[in-house]
Short mmCIF file of all heavy atoms in Angstrom, two decimals:
data_model
loop_
_atom_site.label_atom_id
_atom_site.label_comp_id
_atom_site.label_asym_id
_atom_site.label_seq_id
_atom_site.Cartn_x
_atom_site.Cartn_y
_atom_site.Cartn_z
N PHE Z 4 16.22 -9.24 -13.17
CA PHE Z 4 15.38 -8.16 -12.66
C PHE Z 4 16.23 -6.93 -12.34
O PHE Z 4 15.94 -5.82 -12.77
CB PHE Z 4 14.63 -8.63 -11.41
CG PHE Z 4 13.67 -7.62 -10.85
CD1 PHE Z 4 12.32 -7.71 -11.15
CD2 PHE Z 4 14.09 -6.59 -10.02
CE1 PHE Z 4 11.42 -6.79 -10.64
CE2 PHE Z 4 13.20 -5.66 -9.51
CZ PHE Z 4 11.86 -5.76 -9.83
N LEU Z 7 17.74 -5.32 -15.53
CA LEU Z 7 16.72 -4.57 -16.29
C LEU Z 7 16.35 -3.27 -15.58
O LEU Z 7 16.21 -2.22 -16.22
CB LEU Z 7 15.48 -5.43 -16.52
CG LEU Z 7 15.60 -6.50 -17.60
CD1 LEU Z 7 14.38 -7.42 -17.57
CD2 LEU Z 7 15.75 -5.87 -18.98
N ALA Z 8 16.20 -3.32 -14.26
CA ALA Z 8 15.87 -2.11 -13.51
C ALA Z 8 17.01 -1.09 -13.61
O ALA Z 8 16.77 0.11 -13.81
CB ALA Z 8 15.57 -2.45 -12.05
N ALA Z 10 19.21 -0.89 -16.02
CA ALA Z 10 19.23 -0.39 -17.40
C ALA Z 10 18.17 0.69 -17.59
O ALA Z 10 18.43 1.72 -18.23
CB ALA Z 10 19.00 -1.55 -18.38
N ALA Z 11 16.98 0.48 -17.04
CA ALA Z 11 15.92 1.49 -17.16
C ALA Z 11 16.34 2.78 -16.48
O ALA Z 11 16.10 3.88 -16.99
CB ALA Z 11 14.62 0.96 -16.55
N PHE Z 12 16.99 2.66 -15.32
CA PHE Z 12 17.48 3.84 -14.60
C PHE Z 12 18.47 4.61 -15.48
O PHE Z 12 18.37 5.83 -15.63
CB PHE Z 12 18.15 3.41 -13.30
CG PHE Z 12 18.61 4.56 -12.44
CD1 PHE Z 12 17.81 5.02 -11.41
CD2 PHE Z 12 19.83 5.17 -12.65
CE1 PHE Z 12 18.21 6.08 -10.62
CE2 PHE Z 12 20.25 6.22 -11.87
CZ PHE Z 12 19.43 6.68 -10.84
N VAL Z 14 18.87 4.47 -18.77
CA VAL Z 14 18.19 5.00 -19.95
C VAL Z 14 17.42 6.27 -19.58
O VAL Z 14 17.35 7.22 -20.37
CB VAL Z 14 17.28 3.94 -20.59
CG1 VAL Z 14 16.33 4.55 -21.60
CG2 VAL Z 14 18.12 2.85 -21.24
N MET Z 15 16.86 6.31 -18.39
CA MET Z 15 16.12 7.50 -17.95
C MET Z 15 17.03 8.72 -17.89
O MET Z 15 16.60 9.82 -18.23
CB MET Z 15 15.45 7.26 -16.59
CG MET Z 15 14.16 6.49 -16.67
SD MET Z 15 12.92 7.27 -17.72
CE MET Z 15 12.59 8.76 -16.81
N VAL Z 57 4.50 13.76 -14.08
CA VAL Z 57 3.28 12.95 -14.11
C VAL Z 57 3.34 11.97 -15.28
O VAL Z 57 2.98 10.79 -15.15
CB VAL Z 57 2.02 13.84 -14.20
CG1 VAL Z 57 0.77 13.02 -14.47
CG2 VAL Z 57 1.87 14.67 -12.94
N GLY Z 58 3.84 12.43 -16.43
CA GLY Z 58 3.97 11.55 -17.60
C GLY Z 58 4.94 10.40 -17.35
O GLY Z 58 4.64 9.24 -17.66
N PHE Z 59 6.12 10.71 -16.77
CA PHE Z 59 7.09 9.65 -16.47
C PHE Z 59 6.53 8.70 -15.41
O PHE Z 59 6.74 7.49 -15.47
CB PHE Z 59 8.42 10.24 -16.00
CG PHE Z 59 9.21 10.90 -17.10
CD1 PHE Z 59 9.62 12.21 -16.97
CD2 PHE Z 59 9.55 10.20 -18.25
CE1 PHE Z 59 10.35 12.82 -17.97
CE2 PHE Z 59 10.29 10.80 -19.26
CZ PHE Z 59 10.68 12.12 -19.12
N GLY Z 60 5.82 9.25 -14.44
CA GLY Z 60 5.21 8.41 -13.41
C GLY Z 60 4.16 7.48 -14.00
O GLY Z 60 4.08 6.30 -13.63
N ALA Z 61 3.38 7.98 -14.94
CA ALA Z 61 2.36 7.15 -15.60
C ALA Z 61 3.03 6.02 -16.39
O ALA Z 61 2.54 4.87 -16.38
CB ALA Z 61 1.49 8.00 -16.51
N LEU Z 62 4.13 6.31 -17.05
CA LEU Z 62 4.88 5.29 -17.78
C LEU Z 62 5.36 4.20 -16.82
O LEU Z 62 5.19 3.00 -17.08
CB LEU Z 62 6.06 5.91 -18.52
CG LEU Z 62 7.03 4.93 -19.20
CD1 LEU Z 62 6.32 4.13 -20.29
CD2 LEU Z 62 8.22 5.70 -19.76
N SER Z 63 5.93 4.61 -15.69
CA SER Z 63 6.42 3.68 -14.70
C SER Z 63 5.30 2.80 -14.15
O SER Z 63 5.41 1.57 -14.09
CB SER Z 63 7.09 4.44 -13.55
OG SER Z 63 7.46 3.57 -12.52
N VAL Z 64 4.21 3.42 -13.75
CA VAL Z 64 3.07 2.67 -13.20
C VAL Z 64 2.50 1.72 -14.25
O VAL Z 64 2.17 0.57 -13.95
CB VAL Z 64 1.98 3.63 -12.66
CG1 VAL Z 64 0.69 2.90 -12.36
CG2 VAL Z 64 2.49 4.34 -11.42
N GLY Z 65 2.41 2.18 -15.49
CA GLY Z 65 1.90 1.33 -16.56
C GLY Z 65 2.76 0.09 -16.78
O GLY Z 65 2.23 -1.02 -16.95
N LEU Z 66 4.07 0.25 -16.75
CA LEU Z 66 4.97 -0.90 -16.91
C LEU Z 66 4.87 -1.85 -15.72
O LEU Z 66 4.84 -3.08 -15.90
CB LEU Z 66 6.41 -0.42 -17.09
CG LEU Z 66 6.73 0.22 -18.44
CD1 LEU Z 66 8.07 0.95 -18.39
CD2 LEU Z 66 6.70 -0.81 -19.55
N ILE Z 67 4.84 -1.30 -14.52
CA ILE Z 67 4.69 -2.14 -13.32
C ILE Z 67 3.36 -2.90 -13.38
O ILE Z 67 3.32 -4.11 -13.11
CB ILE Z 67 4.82 -1.30 -12.03
CG1 ILE Z 67 6.27 -0.82 -11.88
CG2 ILE Z 67 4.36 -2.09 -10.81
CD1 ILE Z 67 6.48 0.23 -10.80
N TRP Z 68 2.31 -2.22 -13.76
CA TRP Z 68 0.98 -2.85 -13.86
C TRP Z 68 1.00 -3.96 -14.91
O TRP Z 68 0.46 -5.05 -14.69
CB TRP Z 68 -0.06 -1.79 -14.21
CG TRP Z 68 -1.45 -2.32 -14.26
CD1 TRP Z 68 -2.16 -2.69 -15.37
CD2 TRP Z 68 -2.31 -2.58 -13.15
NE1 TRP Z 68 -3.41 -3.13 -15.03
CE2 TRP Z 68 -3.53 -3.08 -13.67
CE3 TRP Z 68 -2.17 -2.42 -11.78
CZ2 TRP Z 68 -4.59 -3.43 -12.85
CZ3 TRP Z 68 -3.25 -2.76 -10.97
CH2 TRP Z 68 -4.44 -3.26 -11.50
N ALA Z 69 1.64 -3.70 -16.05
CA ALA Z 69 1.68 -4.69 -17.13
C ALA Z 69 2.43 -5.95 -16.71
O ALA Z 69 2.10 -7.05 -17.19
CB ALA Z 69 2.33 -4.08 -18.37
N GLY Z 70 3.41 -5.83 -15.83
CA GLY Z 70 4.19 -6.99 -15.43
C GLY Z 70 3.83 -7.57 -14.08
O GLY Z 70 4.53 -8.43 -13.56
N ARG Z 71 2.73 -7.12 -13.52
CA ARG Z 71 2.37 -7.51 -12.15
C ARG Z 71 2.06 -8.99 -11.99
O ARG Z 71 2.24 -9.54 -10.91
CB ARG Z 71 1.21 -6.66 -11.65
CG ARG Z 71 -0.13 -7.06 -12.24
CD ARG Z 71 -1.23 -6.07 -11.94
NE ARG Z 71 -2.50 -6.50 -12.45
CZ ARG Z 71 -2.88 -6.46 -13.71
NH1 ARG Z 71 -2.05 -6.00 -14.63
NH2 ARG Z 71 -4.08 -6.86 -14.08
N ALA Z 72 1.64 -9.68 -13.02
CA ALA Z 72 1.26 -11.09 -12.90
C ALA Z 72 2.46 -11.97 -12.54
O ALA Z 72 2.33 -12.91 -11.76
CB ALA Z 72 0.61 -11.58 -14.19
N ASP Z 73 3.62 -11.65 -13.10
CA ASP Z 73 4.83 -12.42 -12.81
C ASP Z 73 6.03 -11.47 -12.84
O ASP Z 73 6.77 -11.43 -13.83
CB ASP Z 73 5.00 -13.55 -13.83
CG ASP Z 73 6.07 -14.55 -13.41
OD1 ASP Z 73 6.73 -14.32 -12.37
OD2 ASP Z 73 6.24 -15.55 -14.13
N PRO Z 74 6.22 -10.68 -11.78
CA PRO Z 74 7.24 -9.62 -11.78
C PRO Z 74 8.66 -10.09 -12.12
O PRO Z 74 9.39 -9.39 -12.80
CB PRO Z 74 7.19 -9.07 -10.37
CG PRO Z 74 5.84 -9.43 -9.86
CD PRO Z 74 5.48 -10.71 -10.54
N LEU Z 75 9.06 -11.27 -11.66
CA LEU Z 75 10.43 -11.73 -11.91
C LEU Z 75 10.63 -12.21 -13.33
O LEU Z 75 11.73 -12.12 -13.87
CB LEU Z 75 10.82 -12.82 -10.91
CG LEU Z 75 10.97 -12.35 -9.46
CD1 LEU Z 75 11.33 -13.51 -8.55
CD2 LEU Z 75 12.00 -11.24 -9.34
N ALA Z 76 9.59 -12.73 -13.97
CA ALA Z 76 9.70 -13.20 -15.35
C ALA Z 76 9.41 -12.09 -16.36
O ALA Z 76 9.80 -12.17 -17.52
CB ALA Z 76 8.75 -14.37 -15.59
N SER Z 77 8.74 -11.05 -15.90
CA SER Z 77 8.34 -9.94 -16.76
C SER Z 77 9.53 -9.04 -17.12
O SER Z 77 10.47 -8.90 -16.36
CB SER Z 77 7.28 -9.10 -16.04
OG SER Z 77 7.08 -7.88 -16.68
N THR Z 78 9.46 -8.45 -18.29
CA THR Z 78 10.42 -7.41 -18.65
C THR Z 78 9.87 -6.05 -18.22
O THR Z 78 10.61 -5.19 -17.77
CB THR Z 78 10.68 -7.42 -20.16
OG1 THR Z 78 11.25 -8.68 -20.51
CG2 THR Z 78 11.63 -6.31 -20.57
N ALA Z 79 8.58 -5.88 -18.34
CA ALA Z 79 7.95 -4.60 -18.04
C ALA Z 79 8.10 -4.20 -16.57
O ALA Z 79 8.38 -3.03 -16.27
CB ALA Z 79 6.46 -4.63 -18.43
N PHE Z 80 7.90 -5.15 -15.67
CA PHE Z 80 7.90 -4.82 -14.24
C PHE Z 80 9.24 -4.21 -13.79
O PHE Z 80 9.26 -3.13 -13.19
CB PHE Z 80 7.55 -6.07 -13.41
CG PHE Z 80 7.21 -5.76 -11.99
CD1 PHE Z 80 5.91 -5.51 -11.61
CD2 PHE Z 80 8.19 -5.71 -11.01
CE1 PHE Z 80 5.58 -5.22 -10.29
CE2 PHE Z 80 7.88 -5.42 -9.69
CZ PHE Z 80 6.57 -5.17 -9.34
N PRO Z 81 10.39 -4.85 -14.05
CA PRO Z 81 11.64 -4.24 -13.60
C PRO Z 81 11.96 -2.93 -14.32
O PRO Z 81 12.57 -2.04 -13.74
CB PRO Z 81 12.70 -5.31 -13.88
CG PRO Z 81 12.09 -6.27 -14.81
CD PRO Z 81 10.61 -6.19 -14.61
N LEU Z 82 11.53 -2.79 -15.58
CA LEU Z 82 11.73 -1.51 -16.26
C LEU Z 82 10.94 -0.41 -15.54
O LEU Z 82 11.45 0.69 -15.32
CB LEU Z 82 11.33 -1.61 -17.72
CG LEU Z 82 12.19 -2.51 -18.61
CD1 LEU Z 82 11.63 -2.55 -20.03
CD2 LEU Z 82 13.64 -2.07 -18.60
N GLY Z 83 9.71 -0.73 -15.17
CA GLY Z 83 8.90 0.22 -14.41
C GLY Z 83 9.50 0.56 -13.07
O GLY Z 83 9.48 1.72 -12.64
N VAL Z 84 10.09 -0.43 -12.40
CA VAL Z 84 10.74 -0.19 -11.12
C VAL Z 84 11.96 0.71 -11.29
O VAL Z 84 12.18 1.64 -10.52
CB VAL Z 84 11.12 -1.53 -10.43
CG1 VAL Z 84 12.05 -1.30 -9.25
CG2 VAL Z 84 9.87 -2.26 -9.99
N GLY Z 85 12.76 0.46 -12.33
CA GLY Z 85 13.93 1.30 -12.60
C GLY Z 85 13.55 2.75 -12.85
O GLY Z 85 14.18 3.67 -12.34
N ILE Z 86 12.47 2.96 -13.60
CA ILE Z 86 11.98 4.32 -13.85
C ILE Z 86 11.48 4.94 -12.55
O ILE Z 86 11.72 6.13 -12.28
CB ILE Z 86 10.89 4.31 -14.93
CG1 ILE Z 86 11.50 3.90 -16.28
CG2 ILE Z 86 10.20 5.67 -15.04
CD1 ILE Z 86 10.47 3.62 -17.37
N ALA Z 87 10.80 4.15 -11.72
CA ALA Z 87 10.30 4.66 -10.44
C ALA Z 87 11.44 5.06 -9.51
O ALA Z 87 11.36 6.10 -8.84
CB ALA Z 87 9.41 3.61 -9.77
N VAL Z 88 12.50 4.26 -9.46
CA VAL Z 88 13.65 4.59 -8.61
C VAL Z 88 14.31 5.87 -9.11
O VAL Z 88 14.66 6.76 -8.32
CB VAL Z 88 14.66 3.42 -8.55
CG1 VAL Z 88 15.96 3.84 -7.89
CG2 VAL Z 88 14.05 2.23 -7.82
N TYR Z 89 14.45 6.01 -10.43
CA TYR Z 89 15.00 7.24 -10.99
C TYR Z 89 14.12 8.43 -10.58
O TYR Z 89 14.61 9.47 -10.15
CB TYR Z 89 15.09 7.16 -12.51
CG TYR Z 89 15.71 8.39 -13.13
CD1 TYR Z 89 17.08 8.47 -13.31
CD2 TYR Z 89 14.93 9.47 -13.51
CE1 TYR Z 89 17.66 9.61 -13.86
CE2 TYR Z 89 15.50 10.60 -14.06
CZ TYR Z 89 16.86 10.66 -14.24
OH TYR Z 89 17.42 11.80 -14.77
#
Side-chain angles (χ1 to χ4, degrees):
F4 184 98
L7 284 171
F12 184 96
V14 167
M15 280 302 294
V57 170
F59 288 125
L62 174 62
S63 174
V64 168
L66 287 167
I67 290 169
W68 183 261
R71 75 190 183 284
D73 192 356
L75 292 179
S77 167
T78 298
F80 194 91
L82 293 178
V84 168
I86 294 170
V88 169
Y89 182 90

